[in-house]
Amino acid sequence: MRAHFFGLLLLASVSLPAAGQQKPAALPLTTAPAASWQASVAIHPKNTQNIVVATSPGSVYYTMDGGNTWKQTDGVPAVGEQGDTQLLSDGHGTFYYFQTNGPGITSCFASRDGQIWEPGTPVPMGVNKRNERIGVTADAKGSLYLTYTQFDAYPSEDDACRSSIWMTKSSNGKKWSTPREISQTPGRCNDVRHAASGSLAAIAADGKSYVAWLTGQTIFMDRSFDGSMWLSNDISITRLKAEPSYSEPTLLVDRAKGPRTGSLYMSWADARGGKDDADIWFIRSTNYGDNWTSPQRINDDAAGQQYQPAMAVDPTTGIIYVLYFDRRESEGEGLATAVYLAWSDDGGNNFHNKKISTESFIGEATLPERGYTGLAAYKGIVAAVWVQDLGGKSAVFTATTTQDSLGVKQIATK
């Protein structure tokens, strides 16, 4: 496995032992406030050595050699401290990078390899509203789906103020559909943890569409079997043990050609195992979300906090990967934190766990619910990114590994 970090003053690589690995490199990095850090990663489908990492507020990096060396790109402007950032590959050769500024105006940038980016295109959202906390995904044809939270106002203690989940679509990132409201269960506007938030669409290979999100302590889902007509009622999937920690859910669909194609996978973190014992949880549906398995714990520790999961499903193999922060090495309420990668080659029936960070770091006392981890997988290549403390400053680390080096068996072929 290769691991690298993007520090506040430089981009330096810290390598784990691997045969044929290049020496570490160091590159300059734009300074950003720690409170604004978000990170995401994407892999080029036609050249898996081309990986792109994006961090808020407006820094994008690319590698052409599988993560041995990284360069920072120009042409993607910062949108401000409060901006959300999301990055994805459409599966056909284009990277898309999304930024949302404080007032909630999202722009979409496109690039073939992460080096040169086209000028940003505004994504239409509700006017006179607060629009943020975006989630982006692509279907098998490369069309883009952007979901987001719309607040009547934020923050507001008005009981009549509501938050809701909306979605817009585009075939090329330039022209977007009129946004439509997906959720029916209103969230509050006074606190993100009581709002409708954390939405993400998942599109099956046959076009069946799903959106999951969190409102209060309940994970909801809506679905459309033809891509246009959505159910009139939100489907309640499960309730979280929200205190003292939780995370917004990630919903993905298996698009690999194999026995589990069309299966829905969901992961999140909460403390249903007991106070000061947050864990990473996983459920699966094989009948379009009608029924779900009981929550299954992914991490394999005896005690300690696990949080901030990021999940990816390799669309060419169907293998599930989950990245998360882990405090199993801490005693009591200690904050020593490591990074683990879990994977399943049997549709989530069993997970294997491996520590991928080289040294522990001191994590936050209040566990973050989103934004600090990202994960991508394609053709057996796995790319991870996470934000951690490094000498009292925030730093962004990346790590790349392969299905073969993890000992994962092939279960599907695309």
Side-chain angles (χ1 to χ4, degrees), residues 20-338:
Q21 182 168 306
Q22 298 181 5
K23 293 182 179 180
L27 297 172
L29 174 67
T30 303
T31 301
S36 75
W37 278 114
Q38 290 183 342
S40 52
V41 60
I43 302 171
H44 199 292
K46 299 178 180 179
N47 175 16
T48 55
Q49 295 295 294
N50 181 196
I51 304 171
V52 180
V53 164
T55 68
S56 60
S59 298
V60 178
Y61 305 85
Y62 66 92
T63 177
M64 305 300 295
D65 57 15
N68 286 304
T69 58
W70 292 86
K71 294 183 179 180
Q72 184 173 3
T73 185
D74 297 322
V76 181
V79 296
E81 180 177 343
Q82 300 303 316
D84 289 336
T85 62
Q86 293 287 330
L87 175 74
L88 84 160
S89 166
D90 69 352
H92 295 271
T94 302
F95 292 106
Y96 289 96
Y97 173 61
F98 297 83
Q99 293 183 338
T100 300
N101 66 15
I105 301 173
T106 294
S107 296
C108 174
F109 302 81
S111 175
R112 290 296 179 182
D113 56 11
Q115 300 184 59
I116 300 175
W117 293 82
E118 298 177 4
T121 300
V123 179
M125 294 179 173
V127 296
N128 301 320
K129 303 286 186 178
R130 178 86 178 199
N131 306 299
E132 56 182 60
R133 303 178 80 83
I134 61 174
V136 294
T137 192
D139 64 18
K141 297 179 180 179
S143 294
L144 308 175
Y145 297 72
L146 185 146
T147 58
Y148 61 94
T149 296
Q150 182 175 102
F151 295 92
D152 291 341
Y154 185 82
S156 173
E157 296 293 337
D158 187 348
D159 290 339
C161 186
R162 65 191 299 268
S163 57
S164 53
I165 302 300
W166 292 68
M167 184 176 73
T168 179
K169 299 187 293 184
S170 175
S171 61
N172 57 10
K174 296 181 179 180
K175 185 177 181 180
W176 292 82
S177 66
T178 301
R180 66 177 300 159
E181 187 172 5
I182 297 296
S183 61
Q184 287 81 46
T185 306
R188 296 289 304 278
C189 299
N190 62 330
D191 188 314
V192 169
R193 293 199 172 195
H194 296 94
S197 65
S199 60
L200 184 66
I203 315 301
D206 61 2
K208 291 183 176 65
S209 303
Y210 310 86
V211 176
W213 68 93
L214 182 67
T215 299
Q217 294 177 244
T218 302
I219 296 177
F220 290 100
M221 187 190 77
D222 204 346
R223 60 188 177 182
S224 172
F225 292 152
D226 62 4
S228 59
M229 183 178 294
W230 291 79
L231 295 178
S232 59
N233 296 313
D234 300 335
I235 302 172
S236 176
I237 303 301
T238 188
R239 283 184 59 82
L240 306 189
K241 175 69 174 179
E243 299 295 342
S245 60
Y246 82 109
S247 73
E248 295 168 342
T250 298
L251 173 68
L252 298 176
V253 63
D254 193 334
R255 292 210 296 250
K257 294 181 179 178
R260 301 180 183 88
T261 185
S263 295
L264 296 172
Y265 305 129
M266 185 181 292
S267 69
W268 72 93
D270 73 31
R272 66 183 59 207
K275 187 178 182 297
D276 298 326
D277 188 22
D279 294 300
I280 311 301
W281 300 93
F282 175 87
I283 55 177
R284 175 184 63 250
S285 174
T286 58
N287 57 1
Y288 317 115
D290 284 343
N291 304 103
W292 294 82
T293 58
S294 297
Q296 170 189 351
R297 194 179 72 160
I298 291 178
N299 48 287
D300 58 357
D301 65 303
Q305 303 268 38
Q306 285 74 37
Y307 62 101
Q308 192 69 195
M311 183 169 64
V313 178
D314 190 326
T316 67
T317 65
I319 296 169
I320 307 166
Y321 299 93
V322 180
L323 181 78
Y324 61 92
F325 290 139
D326 190 296
R327 291 180 179 171
R328 70 181 67 188
E329 297 175 0
S330 295
E331 295 183 1
E333 299 181 358
L335 301 180
T337 306

